Amino acid sequence: MATLTTTKVRNFIGGQWVAPTSEAGLELINPATGDPLGRAPAGSGAEVDDAVHAAHAAFPAWRATPAADRVQFLFKLKSLLEQHLDELAALITIENGKTLSESKGELRRGIENVEVACGIPVLMQGYSLEDVAPGIDEIMVRQPLGVAAVITPFNFPLMIPLWFLPYAIATGNTVVLKPSDRVPFSAARLVEIIHQTGLPAGVVNLVNGGKNAVDALLDHPLVRAVSFVGSTPVAKYVYARGSASGKRVQCQGGAKNHVVVLPDADQETTTKIIADSAFGCAGQRCLAVSVTVTIGEAKDWFREAISSAATGLKVGNGLDPATQMGPVITQASRERVLSLIGQGAEQGAKAIVDGRGAQGAGSFVGPTVLDGLPASSPLMETEIFGPVLSVVHAATVEEAIAMIERSAYGNASSIFTSSGAAARKFRNLVSTGNVGVNIGVPAPMAYFPFSGWKGSFFGVMHAQGRDAIEFFTDKKVIVERWPREWSRKF
Ligand code: NAD
């Protein structure tokens, strides 16, 4: 089986790998085996300062590099990521726990963003109009901002850095990446591969650490933009602290996603798709379904069908190709999820499939289905972030839409039906930024924005596609008059 080639977590600053000044951060454990993998550094203001200065020093030359030349590094990056796909997927699986096929899937979504960013010479263009007044022309150009900080969570160790980094550098910015301190190895390997493209020193830098490193980035006067993905309380904090010092900030937060199943939904595919959404990546996807709302007679078949799908899943080490669901990220996370299942039972739900007995040295929780959680239960509003699906019932689609409206989150929702009219009404009225129609994980492709709403997003421009280009550039409007063409008498 694949193993790590290093247990040392290092920073990459100004084109050099450097040892962190302290290793006093989290102990890193393989979530499937319980084996130690190393220790994450706590991170320090001094390291962040070095990385930001390296990025700032690289900015003038990088900004002046023609866009068509900048994207040549991304073409190379795409090809290297394809070449190293198996190795990178194994690395994600070792430190995050998801299955190999999920790791490959995440990397494919990341590579898609590199591909889209290769189109920057077209996508970054502004616009112009001649003769806005006689002899006067007006031109809008987009220019890079400077140093951009990218702060990412544990659940997609490579895809989420790639939601931002390719666009930031293709538009002429330089970057300091601060990956999750629970999965530092995949990001380090990504940066090694980026370095292999020959990208000039300082354009991409890596600092490791937790809150110390994040705070230092948020307060640093040379950081112009911050892209963050993580839990809602931290997203709110990062948004407030980063904006307070005038930075441009985009923060994607947590989620509590609902799917609505109508009686006319195709039973077999609906069940398979919802099971994959709820239990895939051990429920640790920000688009994972957490609550299924059955309407009318869907109540009769869905509970039995989803219970049998959940019970049949093979839980184990994601490196084993037969495994269908891996562990959750840490033992602490496992304890939290087990306790939330217990609270669900205390608050009136019945665990019709109970994953609390899952065995193994790793942090395993089996697929769990909670039936009949009351609407008033605090668990209805809690992001569990584990393989736990609640199933509740509503009389009508309108009632389900109102239930979603009451949620503090707005990341995603889906409807399963064969009725175009019901689907259209749902997608028109529902209060989430990503919507699926017969789709369990409505993850936008790289050329669409990843559009969370409400407590799932803080900011204006989202990740990916055209939003990313808007986010990483400033608009400049030039109004020109030439002496030969005097258009006004003074
Ligand atoms: P997290 O909030 O714990 O950590 C995210 C990042 O913030 C990490 O880099 C971490 O080191 C840093 N951080 C943690 N605590 C901090 C603090 N107090 N101050 C400053 N920085 C801090 O998130 P996580 O557990 O790594 O990831 C899971 C969460 O991310 C879930 O809530 C999930 O829904 C969310 N998520 C959202 C999306 C989305 O697109 N909306 C995508 C993926 C994950």
Side-chain angles (χ1 to χ4, degrees), residues 68 70-80 114 118-119:
R70 290 197 300 255
V71 299
Q72 296 311 314
F73 297 98
L74 293 180
F75 283 112
K76 283 187 203 147
L77 177 60
K78 173 197 156 53
S79 140
L80 284 169
V114 180
C118 285

Side-chain angles (χ1 to χ4, degrees), residues 37-62:
L37 295 176
R39 187 170 275 284
S44 73
E47 287 164 343
V48 166
D49 190 50
D50 288 348
V52 173
H53 274 104
H56 185 64
F59 178 60
W62 183 242

Side-chain angles (χ1 to χ4, degrees), residues 152-155 178 181-182 228-231 252-254 286 383 450:
T152 56
F154 80 83
N155 64 330
K178 203 302 285 174
D181 43 355
R182 285 184 273 178
F228 170 92
V229 181
S231 57
Q252 299 187 200
C286 63
E383 181 180 36
F450 195 102

Side-chain angles (χ1 to χ4, degrees), residues 136-199:
I136 298 183
D137 304 331
E138 203 159 316
I139 303 161
M140 188 279 274
V141 294
R142 289 180 204 281
Q143 296 192 332
L145 306 173
V147 180
V150 176
I151 302 165
T152 56
F154 80 83
N155 64 330
F156 287 97
L158 285 185
M159 180 184 77
I160 294 183
L162 292 171
W163 276 356
F164 305 105
L165 196 147
Y167 302 99
I169 64 172
T171 48
N173 300 278
T174 54
V175 166
V176 177
L177 170 64
K178 203 302 285 174
S180 164
D181 43 355
R182 285 184 273 178
V183 290
F185 295 110
S186 309
R189 187 70 187 113
L190 171 68
V191 169
E192 266 176 10
I193 290 174
I194 291 174
H195 188 45
Q196 272 180 43
T197 65
L199 192 74

Side-chain angles (χ1 to χ4, degrees), residues 26 150-156 159-160 163 178-183 209-215 218 228-235 237-238 251-257 284-287 329 383 385 409 411 434 450-452 456-457 463:
L26 297 178
V150 176
I151 302 165
T152 56
F154 80 83
N155 64 330
F156 287 97
M159 180 184 77
I160 294 183
W163 276 356
K178 203 302 285 174
S180 164
D181 43 355
R182 285 184 273 178
V183 290
K211 182 172 165 47
N212 289 346
V214 172
D215 286 350
L218 296 176
F228 170 92
V229 181
S231 57
T232 290
V234 184
Y237 166 79
V238 168
C251 292
Q252 299 187 200
K256 183 83 183 174
N257 305 313
Q284 299 171 118
R285 281 194 283 227
C286 63
L287 295 177
I329 185 72
E383 181 180 36
F385 227 53
Y409 297 102
N411 218 29
N434 301 292
F450 195 102
S451 294
S456 298
F457 181 70

Side-chain angles (χ1 to χ4, degrees), residues 433-476:
N434 301 292
V435 180
V437 175
N438 298 317
I439 299 282
V441 181
M445 301 293 283
Y447 23 89
F448 285 91
F450 195 102
S451 294
W453 282 11
K454 299 196 277 183
S456 298
F457 181 70
F458 304 91
V460 180
M461 292 298 159
H462 293 79
Q464 303 196 144
R466 291 178 210 173
D467 270 31
I469 287 128
E470 287 287 332
F471 183 79
F472 287 116
T473 57
D474 257 339
K475 290 190 265 299
K476 184 181 274 181

Side-chain angles (χ1 to χ4, degrees), residues 83-170:
Q83 227 171 292
H84 291 279
L85 193 96
D86 290 339
E87 171 216 331
L88 287 164
L91 196 49
I92 296 173
T93 294
I94 291 169
E95 65 175 349
N96 168 283
K98 64 179 71 174
T99 67
L100 268 180
S101 71
E102 288 166 343
S103 297
K104 284 184 192 165
E106 112 155 57
L107 194 48
R108 291 238 162 265
R109 299 309 292 261
I111 293 172
E112 229 178 63
N113 281 279
V114 180
E115 290 166 356
V116 173
C118 285
I120 288 295
V122 172
L123 296 170
M124 197 181 165
Q125 288 178 12
Y127 44 86
S128 61
L129 186 68
E130 276 187 338
D131 293 316
V132 290
I136 298 183
D137 304 331
E138 203 159 316
I139 303 161
M140 188 279 274
V141 294
R142 289 180 204 281
Q143 296 192 332
L145 306 173
V147 180
V150 176
I151 302 165
T152 56
F154 80 83
N155 64 330
F156 287 97
L158 285 185
M159 180 184 77
I160 294 183
L162 292 171
W163 276 356
F164 305 105
L165 196 147
Y167 302 99
I169 64 172

